[in-house]
Amino acid sequence: MSDQKLLESQFQITGMTCAACSNRIEKGLNKMEGVKNANVNLALEKATVQFDGTVMKPEDIQKKIKDLGYDVVTEKTELILTGMTCAACSTRIEKGLNKMDGVIQASVNLALEKATVEYNPSTVSQKDLTNKVEALGYGAIVKSEGDEKETIDYRLQEIQNQKRKFTLSLILSIPLLWTMVAHFSFTSFLYVPQGLMNPWVQMALATPVQFYIGRQFYVGAYKALRNKSANMDVLVALGTSAAYFYSVFLVLNKGSDLYFETSAVLITLIILGKLFEAKAKGRSSEAIKKLMGLQAKTATVLQNGEEKEIPLEEVIAGDILLVKPGEKVPVDGVIMEGRSAFDESMITGESVPVDKSEGDTVIGATINKNGFIKMEATKVGKDTALAQIIKVVEEAQGSKAPIQRMADMISGIFVPIVVGIAIITFFIWFVWVAPGDFAEALEKLIAVLVIACPCALGLATPTSIMAGSGRAAEHGILFKGGEHLETTHQIDTVILDKTGTVTNGEPVLTNVNTVINEREFLSLIGSAEKQSEHPLAQAIVQGITEKNIILRDASEFEAIPGFGIKAMISGKKVLVGTRRLMKQHNIDVESVLEEMVALESEGKTVMLAAVDGKYAGMIAVADTIKETSGQAVKRLKEMGLDVIMMTGDNQQTAIAIAKEAGIDHVIAEVLPEGKAEEVKKLQQQGKKVAMVGDGINDAPALAIADIGMAIGTGTDVAMEAADITLIRGDLNSIADAILMSKKTIRNIKQNLFWAFAYNTLGIPVAALGFLAPWLAGAAMAFSSVSVVLNALRLQRVKL
């Protein structure tokens, strides 16, 4: 065991309840190959493990603990990165972080210049993570709450910095570019000042461009080579240095045909490309800026009976806030007094204002249209719906789609291969094509180095993910990660939960049939039912009061479980309930049973009523389908998807609701755990299944489906079981999510195709001598910008 690398890691464990638990974990760990000693402390809830680092990693131990039925405490952090220039940089940082002991998973996003790291805090710290990135030659700071604005400010500073560099580089390069006209016979008629033809003047103009403007390429190349890797900076530094130093050699030896303009113009064009790229990146993260801009800046708080305006950051849960007409709701809360309509379109995407009154919840950043309300703050800061939405969008934009792995793998080995091709090109030209012509061979080497920069390859996927997930978020569709955005387009079967998904989730009064005066009948029924706490009774009372019918006080009220209720209203004995209740009191209802059965076949719950011992009428309540459910189901079918409704309700009710919504396939009377089994059955048939539910009873099915979609209402945006949250209750969001996924994946494939095609075609063209170095630089800059601009088309997708 001389090659053994003995390491020690600590793991914070949750779920242990007694000594038997700690003994079980300790025995399980000590049986693992590579573990020398494991000790579990029940009181500290901690495991200390010595293991052979050549045989296993800390995550292997973590997995074992989870397999034994316990959880290991992990943390997730985001690092804001600086100094990355291409895909090779992001790949190197990602590999470096993933090799660290205690790091579970690290993902680096080139477009967002951000790393997301999940790690074991007992083994590695945030400081260790930033130190590792700095050791690799880049900058890193831990992102904290509120850093979004700082990140945006940093991007603006980066744009201004690149703009200054480009302006200076352009001023110095234009005279050198002017001298190029003297090299071509077809431009010989143009005037070129003799002073510009002086070699020393040209060197004086080129030197600041090479070493001041181009310093960033040398620094980046040095850091990359120091870490035994190569990136875009290596290619640029090699290419421009070859042209510059060969020209200096010619100046010192009184030679001609200088290449100062080649190196200067190359650097200018690359800086221009970086400027365009920085601007485009800023636009591609527009969704985050829009969401952040929705927040109110201040809030009016009621303290000791006085109104006081305070910054939004100072609001705490429990504060009493006043919101006037036209103002933004500062935070999430509950209305205590008042009534108003609220424009929630910025959160839900729904344009119609929502009426709310005392007891209703309101969402921060929505707009109070026309009424004065007093509210209690319930969720503030990072707990508000808007903050949760921003968090989900950020995580989605920072995540990596599986389709990107191929690009990352190629980027990691691309630069060394290109350098090899460039050297081979130089020798072929110098030895065979143009024997002894060093300048000609050098020009071809420079062209190959410059045309091959892999920027476009690195930007192809993340920019599309950013634009696609951002656009979806504007319409109330939150993808929790790039992998879900990619998988969604493969869905061929959609399972819909009934209650709260296809239907509104709340019973309403639907039918009234009476043999007495209708208003009198409803007044008696409502007066009796208002004493009951049953949800159906509340639905009946609400439906009756909406008809402006006055309810009376009841006496001798009695709820009869399984049968109904009875009460005395204004001296009249009122019974409301089932057929059994009527039979129990010898009330003849035979003549209306057929009508009752017909209503029940429509999925409605029917209650019979009697007044003073005689049949008086019937009322029906039902959980009605949403207005848009039928249209949404039709859209899904037109997209070629199988639509299934799955519910725990009885078969008769389920079929009635499904028929109304246009759904052909129904799975009824299924328990929550049975829903997951039904999903599995479909997956075993080769189906790609999306489960759509409310995220509570449907959690097992949401978790096991290929894509879980949770119906949210603006305050439930962080449902853990789902991959996608549909903030609106509208089922049209399902089709919109699938459409957005298809368009995003198509966009990624376009970007990857052109990035690969660009390098595949560009390198041979440059090697064959058909591309001057400065044209290669322009093409390289354009390739990155074109990829980002193509991704930005996703921001105009109509849903």
Side-chain angles (χ1 to χ4, degrees):
M1 294 291 289
S2 57
D3 294 332
Q4 189 182 63
K5 179 185 176 185
L6 194 62
L7 301 173
E8 183 174 290
S9 286
Q10 290 186 329
F11 301 87
Q12 199 73 40
I13 302 173
T14 59
M16 293 192 295
T17 56
C18 61
C21 297
S22 59
N23 290 337
R24 183 169 178 239
I25 297 171
E26 196 169 282
K27 285 180 180 178
L29 293 177
N30 279 313
K31 286 179 181 178
M32 293 181 73
E33 183 184 355
V35 171
K36 185 178 180 183
N37 182 51
N39 179 43
V40 179
N41 188 309
L42 176 62
L44 295 175
E45 296 183 311
K46 187 179 289 186
T48 304
V49 187
Q50 289 183 325
F51 60 97
D52 182 359
T54 61
V55 174
M56 64 198 314
K57 297 175 72 174
E59 43 265 48
D60 297 325
I61 298 169
Q62 180 182 356
K63 184 177 184 302
K64 179 65 176 178
I65 294 171
K66 287 191 173 184
D67 289 343
L68 290 169
Y70 304 90
D71 283 326
V72 175
V73 176
T74 62
E75 291 183 6
K76 185 180 278 189
T77 190
E78 288 184 354
L79 306 178
I80 298 172
L81 306 175
T82 56
M84 292 193 298
T85 56
C86 68
C89 298
S90 58
T91 301
R92 184 177 321 109
I93 297 174
E94 194 171 283
K95 284 182 178 177
L97 290 172
N98 277 315
K99 285 180 181 176
M100 293 180 71
D101 290 336
V103 171
I104 311 303
Q105 185 175 5
S107 176
V108 177
N109 187 302
L110 173 64
L112 285 176
E113 296 174 318
K114 182 174 74 176
T116 303
V117 187
E118 185 182 1
Y119 63 98
N120 178 355
S122 301
T123 305
V124 66
S125 67
Q126 292 182 343
K127 183 65 176 173
D128 295 330
L129 299 175
T130 56
N131 287 343
K132 179 63 176 179
V133 175
E134 287 167 4
L136 291 168
Y138 304 90
I141 58 170
V142 176
K143 181 183 174 185
S144 58
E145 190 179 342
D147 274 347
E148 291 86 358
K149 186 177 185 303
E150 292 179 21
T151 304
I152 292 170
D153 291 341
Y154 163 75
R155 286 190 182 279
L156 293 174
Q157 289 176 7
E158 178 66 15
I159 290 171
Q160 291 301 319
N161 185 36
Q162 295 293 356
K163 194 180 288 185
R164 283 194 297 269
K165 285 183 177 180
F166 170 69
T167 303
L168 177 59
S169 189
L170 184 65
I171 291 170
L172 294 172
S173 298
I174 284 177
L176 293 170
L177 191 61
W178 197 353
T179 65
M180 285 182 65
V181 302
H183 296 179
F184 309 112
S185 58
F186 59 87
T187 56
S188 57
F189 64 91
L190 293 174
Y191 170 72
V192 179
Q194 194 59 39
L196 290 181
M197 301 305 292
N198 187 310
W200 293 97
V201 171
Q202 291 187 24
M203 188 165 78
L205 290 169
T207 300
V209 177
Q210 186 70 34
F211 298 109
Y212 174 67
I213 307 297
R215 179 178 178 272
Q216 65 191 69
F217 303 116
Y218 284 107
V219 172
Y222 166 73
K223 289 177 177 178
L225 294 172
R226 186 184 67 186
N227 287 287
K228 299 176 183 177
S229 62
N231 61 359
M232 183 197 101
D233 292 329
V234 172
L235 298 180
V236 175
L238 280 174
T240 58
S241 296
Y244 176 83
F245 287 111
Y246 178 59
S247 299
V248 170
F249 171 78
L250 291 176
V251 169
L252 296 176
N253 288 277
K254 298 184 172 23
S256 58
D257 294 330
L258 307 178
Y259 287 87
F260 285 123
E261 76 282 354
T262 298
S263 64
V265 171
L266 273 177
I267 289 173
T268 304
L269 288 171
I270 293 167
I271 294 292
L272 176 63
K274 285 189 168 292
L275 174 59
F276 285 152
E277 196 178 295
K279 286 185 174 182
K281 281 181 184 177
R283 283 179 59 199
S284 62
S285 58
E286 198 71 29
I288 296 291
K289 285 187 275 188
K290 281 182 181 177
L291 288 169
M292 288 173 57
L294 295 176
Q295 293 173 318
K297 303 295 185 290
T298 60
T300 303
V301 64
L302 199 60
Q303 293 179 345
N304 301 320
E306 294 184 3
E307 296 181 21
K308 183 180 179 183
E309 191 172 281
I310 61 174
L312 184 67
E313 298 77 25
E314 294 181 13
V315 177
I316 59 174
D319 277 349
I320 306 302
L321 307 176
L322 304 178
V323 187
K324 298 171 185 174
E327 289 185 343
K328 288 183 179 179
V329 177
V331 295
D332 295 2
V334 177
I335 297 176
M336 299 175 67
E337 293 179 18
R339 183 186 186 92
S340 184
F342 293 83
D343 179 358
E344 299 184 341
S345 59
M346 65 286 294
I347 299 292
T348 66
E350 189 62 56
S351 58
V352 180
V354 181
D355 290 324
K356 296 192 177 186
S357 58
E358 188 176 325
D360 290 332
T361 58
V362 287
I363 307 168
T366 58
I367 298 172
N368 178 15
K369 299 291 285 185
N370 51 24
F372 181 87
I373 66 161
K374 182 190 289 186
M375 61 173 282
E376 179 185 354
T378 56
K379 292 182 180 179
V380 300
K382 61 181 174 55
D383 295 324
T384 64
L386 182 63
Q388 290 291 320
I389 292 170
I390 291 174
K391 179 184 175 185
V392 172
V393 175
E394 280 192 318
E395 287 180 353
Q397 293 189 340
S399 65
K400 189 169 292 188
I403 198 171
Q404 191 175 342
R405 291 173 191 151
M406 177 176 61
D408 288 348
M409 184 176 68
I410 292 172
S411 297
I413 60 173
F414 189 75
V415 174
I417 291 173
V418 169
V419 172
I421 292 172
I423 292 170
I424 292 170
T425 299
F426 174 84
F427 279 109
I428 288 174
W429 277 84
F430 187 73
V431 175
W432 287 292
V433 182
D437 192 337
F438 183 85
E440 186 78 8
L442 180 67
E443 190 174 282
K444 305 306 178 278
L445 176 143
I446 295 169
V448 170
L449 288 174
V450 173
I451 196 70
C453 289
C455 300
L457 199 60
L459 292 168
T461 301
T463 48
S464 295
I465 294 290
M466 287 168 65
S469 58
R471 181 60 174 167
E474 291 174 14
H475 288 268
I477 302 165
L478 303 184
F479 289 93
K480 285 193 175 179
E483 66 274 21
H484 309 311
L485 185 56
E486 178 175 342
T487 304
T488 301
H489 84 285
Q490 301 169 349
I491 294 301
D492 55 31
T493 303
V494 177
I495 299 178
L496 304 174
D497 173 51
K498 180 181 78 70
T499 307
T501 302
V502 175
T503 66
N504 288 298
E506 294 181 0
V508 294
L509 180 63
T510 58
N511 298 80
V512 177
N513 190 342
T514 179
V515 296
I516 63 174
N517 179 275
E518 185 173 308
R519 292 188 68 83
E520 174 66 11
F521 173 73
L522 290 175
S523 177
L524 291 170
I525 301 300
S527 300
E529 290 284 10
K530 77 173 182 178
Q531 309 300 317
S532 173
E533 295 181 354
H534 195 283
L536 295 182
Q538 293 172 6
I540 292 168
V541 172
Q542 183 175 345
I544 291 172
T545 54
E546 285 174 356
K547 296 178 182 292
N548 296 318
I549 292 174
I550 298 173
L551 302 184
R552 300 167 240 178
D553 292 331
S555 60
E556 300 179 28
F557 173 83
E558 183 183 353
I560 310 166
F563 286 79
I565 62 167
K566 63 180 180 178
M568 292 295 294
I569 311 292
S570 301
K572 295 180 179 180
K573 184 179 179 181
V574 179
L575 295 171
V576 185
T578 64
R579 279 169 273 195
R580 289 187 296 170
L581 181 65
M582 298 297 116
K583 186 177 181 180
Q584 194 178 68
H585 289 79
N586 299 314
I587 296 166
D588 183 14
V589 293
E590 286 296 324
S591 61
V592 296
L593 287 182
E594 187 176 336
E595 183 181 353
M596 183 179 184
V597 171
L599 288 173
E600 287 177 336
S601 69
E602 296 174 10
K604 297 174 180 177
T605 301
V606 183
M607 281 158 280
L608 302 169
V611 178
D612 288 337
K614 293 182 180 180
Y615 170 76
M618 70 175 70
I619 53 175
V621 295
D623 181 8
T624 56
I625 74 164
K626 296 174 182 175
E627 291 181 7
T628 55
S629 289
Q631 177 197 6
V633 169
K634 184 180 177 183
R635 278 185 68 194
L636 292 171
K637 286 182 174 180
E638 288 173 351
M639 294 171 72
L641 302 170
D642 289 333
V643 183
I644 300 169
M645 190 179 81
M646 185 160 61
T647 178
D649 274 0
N650 64 70
Q651 187 81 15
Q652 187 180 25
T653 301
I655 290 173
I657 293 292
K659 183 179 179 181
E660 192 177 352
I663 300 171
D664 303 321
H665 306 292
V666 177
I667 304 173
E669 300 176 20
V670 185
L671 296 173
E673 55 270 26
K675 290 183 178 181
E677 289 301 318
E678 294 294 338
V679 172
K680 277 185 187 176
K681 287 178 186 176
L682 288 166
Q683 289 173 326
Q684 287 165 1
Q685 295 171 23
K687 303 281 189 182
K688 284 283 185 180
V689 182
M691 174 68 199
V692 187
D694 61 13
I696 302 170
N697 294 331
D698 305 307
L702 286 167
I704 203 166
D706 296 284
I707 289 293
M709 297 187 185
I711 295 288
T713 58
T715 54
D716 298 322
V717 295
M719 294 180 186
E720 291 299 324
D723 307 310
I724 302 171
T725 297
L726 310 175
I727 298 178
R728 294 182 294 164
D730 188 347
L731 294 189
N732 277 300
S733 295
I734 303 168
D736 289 341
I738 295 171
L739 177 66
M740 198 70 238
S741 172
K742 286 181 176 179
K743 288 188 175 293
T744 302
I745 295 305
R746 188 185 306 145
N747 192 274
I748 289 172
K749 288 178 178 177
Q750 289 168 354
N751 282 348
L752 288 174
F753 171 78
W754 287 113
F756 281 124
Y758 167 81
N759 284 311
T760 304
L761 295 173
I763 293 173
V765 169
L768 291 170
F770 297 122
L771 208 58
W774 69 273
L775 280 175
M780 187 273 286
F782 176 74
S783 69
S784 297
V785 176
S786 63
V787 160
V788 178
L789 291 178
N790 185 51
L792 290 176
R793 292 191 306 117
L794 291 169
Q795 293 184 336
R796 298 195 297 273
V797 171
K798 292 183 179 180
L799 298 177

